[in-house]
Amino acid sequence: MSEYFRKYIKKEHYPNHQQLQRYMLLVLIQNLRLHLETAFQSKALKRRQWKEVEGDDWDIMWAEKEWIHEVMDHTHLQPNQKINHFRNHYELTRKDLMIKNLKRYKKNLEREGKNEEANNYNFFPQTFHLPSEYPIFCEEFKRQSQNGESKTPWIMKPIGKSQGKGIFIFNKLQSISQWKNTLRFNQEAQQAEAYIVQKYIADPLLIGGKKFDMRIYLLCTSYQPLTLYLYRTGFARFTHHRYDNEDISNTYVHLTNVAIQKTSDNYDEKLGGKWNIQTLKLFLMTKFGQEKVAETFYNIQMLMIRSLQAVQKIIINDKHCFELYGFDILLDATLKPWLLEVNASPSMTSNTPIDFELKCGLLDDVFTIIDLEKVLTGNEEQIGGFDLVCRGTPIKLPINSTFTTYLGSFNNRQQQLKKIAKSTAIRLAQIYQETQTKPIDNGSKNQKDEKEKQQRSTSKGPQTIQNGINNKLGMQPKQNSMIKRNGTNLPALGTIQNKNTVKRQPLQNAVQLQPPQIQSLNSNKKINPSEEQILTVNQKLQQLTQDNKLSTFQPYKQQSQYNDVMGMSNRNIQRDEE
């Protein structure tokens, strides 16, 4: 994790705290395998407190292109593992396939009637593939010679080499006879090495009389949807010899590769022959104006996006993969950008302290975007020195913005990382607090639901609810009794009416039939005289029945006793009978 995130975010606030803490512990001890191209990359990754490991237990692999071609198709990757290349990245990073896909995409746009968009794909030089298109190239070369363009140089590049190896410039067909004879007469070589031949840009923009090109970095995290982050900072690579269009054999004049310029006698080790992109942009503004330079840098950004759109449907999208591309772009005298090539493994070696800090910050921001720790939301528009320039479709800045693109602007990565780290720390702390209080709330809610469920299971109707209300009010609950009559014509005791009262006094719950066990327990109970006064009528009737050992209620057998209990006199009964 970036040092800024480690400073503000507490360990217990990470998502899935316990699992992630063990995961981070495994990362720091054994769970990160890095196939590094240079010791510089190792140092940049150690800043994040990551360690190189052996075996298959790793989280991120910085692999060489050869490993992707040979091993990746036969390897099963875990959901958390990341690799720095897509499976068929060569569709864009191999010189011949890049031109082939750009031409094909342009023709498809023209076939669909999108001529305006197709005209935007004019940022690559006229190119032919050798040896397959050698006859076509010869015809084009002769045609240009007849039109007075015989001095126009062409440049030959091997399709599978880097750092300027195998590149040479010519303006006569006889200059490539040696390459052609290798195919025709060499019996050991079954096939000649494939090359591309491009029309040389003979009027490049010069600064101080020297030629230069730009190395700009673009990070692709997904092709479906196309998600691209453009790094604000890059550098311009200068030659150490003044440009001379007539001297086409001197590679130090025409090739800006650092690997070639380092062998020159004029090489300046202190400066390294590099300018920061921001310095270059400010210089161009003083010479060509702000509007013209802003348009040029916006065209550079769109050039990079359109290059990836051309191969979007061809590249095998994989959630385990990401790619850091290094674009080599040349400006001509009119400030038009030209795409020279796209590097899948841009060099991370540094030859100056400024270059070292640039590339260390670049790698640190790449791994912050990859987000192995899962602390980002995924909606951030700027992360470190990277700006989101495409998510499905290119992202345009607001109309009132002073920028058309952030390429070449001030790289405020440190301030931005502090800002995003603080906001992320606050968000994770809130999530952690919610997850800690949620189990308590769920526990109380479950207890409440269990209590209500128990009450519903024991409830048998409105009478039970009424009894519960009576208990809360301190009232004695009514007891439901069953009355058994000896005859069918006997009047119910509840029909006897006292004329002294306005309302009827029905005899409710007179006697309840109880099992023998309950009856024996109730018969042993004795009521104190002090308590007898507060006994209800129903309880007195029940006690009277139990004392006389009657299993059923007989209303006429002990009439006087029941009359006393009910508060009725013989006189009232006689009047009722009359």
Side-chain angles (χ1 to χ4, degrees):
M1 175 177 290
S2 177
E3 57 182 341
Y4 301 99
F5 283 78
R6 293 197 306 269
K7 181 178 179 181
Y8 294 102
I9 302 177
K10 296 181 180 180
K11 292 183 178 180
E12 60 269 18
H13 291 169
Y14 288 117
N16 301 324
H17 168 55
Q18 296 296 333
Q19 296 182 3
L20 184 58
Q21 191 176 16
R22 292 193 296 267
Y23 163 79
M24 289 298 296
L25 184 62
L26 291 174
V27 167
L28 296 178
I29 294 177
Q30 64 177 3
N31 227 21
L32 184 59
R33 179 182 181 179
L34 301 172
H35 287 205
L36 302 176
E37 298 175 356
T38 61
F40 163 79
Q41 290 169 309
S42 178
K43 186 172 182 178
L45 292 168
K46 286 180 180 178
R47 285 187 174 185
R48 303 178 67 89
Q49 298 185 359
W50 290 356
K51 292 185 178 180
E52 186 178 2
V53 297
E54 298 293 336
D56 296 331
D57 197 10
W58 48 269
D59 282 306
I60 188 168
M61 178 182 289
W62 195 268
E64 297 179 353
K65 295 181 292 184
E66 290 74 16
W67 187 91
I68 302 296
H69 302 161
E70 298 174 3
V71 182
M72 188 173 178
D73 288 338
H74 310 288
T75 303
H76 175 71
L77 300 177
Q78 300 299 325
N80 62 303
Q81 293 179 331
K82 297 285 187 179
I83 297 181
N84 65 321
H85 292 295
F86 288 91
R87 295 177 184 269
N88 58 337
H89 63 87
Y90 46 81
E91 295 288 349
L92 180 64
T93 58
R94 212 174 79 176
K95 299 178 182 67
D96 59 335
L97 295 179
M98 178 190 74
I99 299 298
K100 177 182 177 181
N101 290 320
L102 290 175
K103 290 180 178 179
R104 175 191 52 78
Y105 192 75
K106 182 179 181 180
K107 290 182 179 179
N108 290 338
L109 291 175
E110 293 174 350
R111 191 179 298 111
E112 295 173 1
K114 301 178 181 179
N115 295 326
E116 183 177 357
E117 179 65 20
N119 293 333
N120 293 326
Y121 283 82
N122 60 348
F123 50 77
F124 54 92
Q126 188 177 12
T127 307
F128 299 94
H129 180 267
L130 302 181
S132 61
E133 296 179 342
Y134 181 75
I136 302 176
F137 163 68
C138 290
E139 292 180 3
E140 179 64 22
F141 187 89
K142 293 176 181 179
R143 186 188 65 81
Q144 293 186 9
S145 299
Q146 293 175 359
N147 294 336
E149 302 178 7
S150 58
K151 294 184 178 180
T152 301
W154 293 75
I155 184 170
M156 290 274 289
K157 301 177 183 179
I159 63 172
K161 293 182 180 180
S162 59
Q163 298 181 346
K165 298 177 182 178
I167 297 178
F168 62 94
I169 303 173
F170 67 95
N171 55 10
K172 296 180 180 179
L173 285 177
Q174 291 80 1
S175 301
I176 60 173
S177 59
Q178 184 179 0
W179 172 85
K180 184 175 62 174
N181 293 334
T182 303
L183 171 64
R184 183 173 298 178
F185 299 108
N186 191 350
Q187 300 297 329
E188 295 180 359
Q190 298 296 326
Q191 184 176 358
E193 184 179 4
Y195 272 71
I196 62 170
V197 56
Q198 291 180 328
K199 189 174 182 179
Y200 188 69
I201 301 173
D203 58 340
L205 178 65
L206 303 179
I207 296 180
K210 297 178 181 180
K211 181 183 176 181
F212 72 93
D213 67 355
M214 292 182 290
R215 169 62 60 86
I216 304 175
Y217 299 97
L218 184 72
L219 176 64
C220 178
T221 58
S222 172
Y223 273 93
Q224 298 294 337
L226 186 61
T227 307
L228 305 176
Y229 294 85
L230 179 62
Y231 201 62
R232 294 187 175 189
T233 308
F235 53 86
R237 303 177 298 184
F238 286 82
T239 63
H240 287 73
H241 294 258
R242 296 184 66 86
Y243 181 75
D244 186 2
N245 194 22
E246 300 295 332
D247 187 8
I248 61 175
S249 61
N250 189 351
T251 57
Y252 296 121
V253 174
H254 301 278
L255 302 183
T256 61
N257 304 78
V258 176
I260 293 176
Q261 294 296 326
K262 287 176 67 174
T263 61
S264 173
D265 296 335
N266 299 335
Y267 180 72
D268 188 349
E269 295 183 357
K270 184 178 180 180
L271 298 177
K274 293 181 180 179
W275 265 17
N276 189 285
I277 287 290
Q278 183 182 8
T279 304
L280 175 65
K281 188 175 183 180
L282 292 174
F283 174 81
L284 295 178
M285 284 181 179
T286 61
K287 188 175 180 180
F288 297 95
Q290 182 177 355
E291 294 183 0
K292 180 65 175 179
V293 175
E295 180 184 358
T296 298
F297 275 73
Y298 177 76
N299 292 335
I300 293 175
Q301 175 179 311
M302 294 306 300
L303 177 154
M304 302 169 74
I305 295 175
R306 291 188 178 105
S307 299
L308 273 75
Q309 287 178 336
V311 297
Q312 181 180 4
K313 296 182 180 180
I314 302 175
I315 298 292
I316 301 174
N317 188 55
D318 193 333
K319 64 180 181 180
H320 301 284
C321 301
F322 65 95
E323 192 97 37
L324 178 64
Y325 295 105
F327 280 74
D328 291 344
I329 297 174
L330 177 70
L331 296 179
D332 63 12
T334 62
L335 291 187
K336 178 182 178 180
W338 294 88
L339 176 62
L340 302 181
E341 61 178 304
V342 182
N343 297 275
S345 297
S347 175
M348 288 297 160
T349 56
S350 60
N351 52 357
T352 62
I354 298 177
D355 195 21
F356 177 84
E357 291 300 326
L358 185 154
K359 292 181 179 178
C360 273
L362 171 68
L363 281 179
D364 186 64
D365 294 342
V366 166
F367 293 118
T368 301
I369 294 175
I370 299 305
D371 192 22
L372 295 177
E373 296 85 4
K374 304 300 180 184
V375 296
L376 300 179
T377 61
N379 298 323
E380 293 81 3
E381 295 183 355
Q382 181 186 357
I383 301 176
F386 280 99
D387 294 286
L388 181 66
V389 295
C390 182
R391 178 170 286 166
T393 57
I395 296 176
K396 294 184 179 181
L397 298 179
I399 300 176
N400 57 354
S401 176
T402 57
F403 294 94
T404 56
T405 175
Y406 290 115
L407 178 63
S409 62
F410 175 68
N411 189 357
N412 59 341
R413 62 175 301 270
Q414 295 182 353
Q415 294 85 343
Q416 200 278 336
L417 285 174
K418 290 180 181 179
K419 180 179 178 180
I420 194 174
K422 291 180 181 179
S423 61
T424 303
I426 295 173
R427 177 174 53 83
L428 293 179
Q430 293 175 351
I431 295 175
Y432 175 76
Q433 186 176 2
E434 292 175 358
T435 55
Q436 293 298 315
T437 57
K438 190 174 181 180
I440 300 176
D441 297 339
N442 290 339
S444 60
K445 184 178 180 181
N446 293 336
Q447 292 178 359
K448 184 177 179 181
D449 294 342
E450 185 69 21
K451 186 175 180 180
E452 293 178 355
K453 184 178 179 181
Q454 186 176 3
Q455 290 178 355
R456 288 195 300 269
S457 62
T458 56
S459 177
K460 293 184 180 180
Q463 185 64 36
T464 304
I465 299 175
Q466 184 65 34
N467 291 340
I469 297 174
N470 294 341
N471 291 335
K472 292 181 180 180
L473 297 176
M475 301 173 59
Q476 293 293 335
K478 296 181 180 180
Q479 296 182 359
N480 295 328
S481 301
M482 296 180 64
I483 301 175
K484 185 177 180 180
R485 301 173 181 173
N486 293 331
T488 58
N489 296 325
L490 295 177
L493 187 59
T495 58
I496 301 175
Q497 184 177 3
N498 189 353
K499 293 183 178 181
N500 296 330
T501 61
V502 178
K503 295 182 180 181
R504 292 185 177 182
Q505 298 286 342
L507 179 61
Q508 297 179 357
N509 305 329
V511 179
Q512 181 178 4
L513 296 178
Q514 299 177 350
Q517 295 85 353
I518 300 177
Q519 290 180 5
S520 61
L521 292 175
N522 293 336
S523 62
N524 294 331
K525 294 181 181 180
K526 294 182 179 181
I527 302 176
N528 295 329
S530 60
E531 298 177 356
E532 187 175 1
Q533 297 177 357
I534 62 175
L535 292 178
T536 61
V537 175
N538 293 337
Q539 290 177 342
K540 288 181 180 181
L541 289 174
Q542 184 176 1
Q543 180 182 358
L544 180 62
T545 306
Q546 293 172 356
D547 293 341
N548 292 316
K549 297 182 180 180
L550 296 176
S551 59
T552 58
F553 178 61
Q554 299 179 3
Y556 292 100
K557 188 173 182 179
Q558 298 178 349
Q559 187 68 37
S560 60
Q561 297 180 2
Y562 285 103
N563 291 340
D564 295 337
V565 171
M566 299 299 298
M568 299 172 61
S569 62
N570 293 332
R571 184 179 177 181
N572 292 335
I573 295 175
Q574 291 176 359
R575 289 180 181 179
D576 292 338
E577 289 178 352
E578 294 175 356

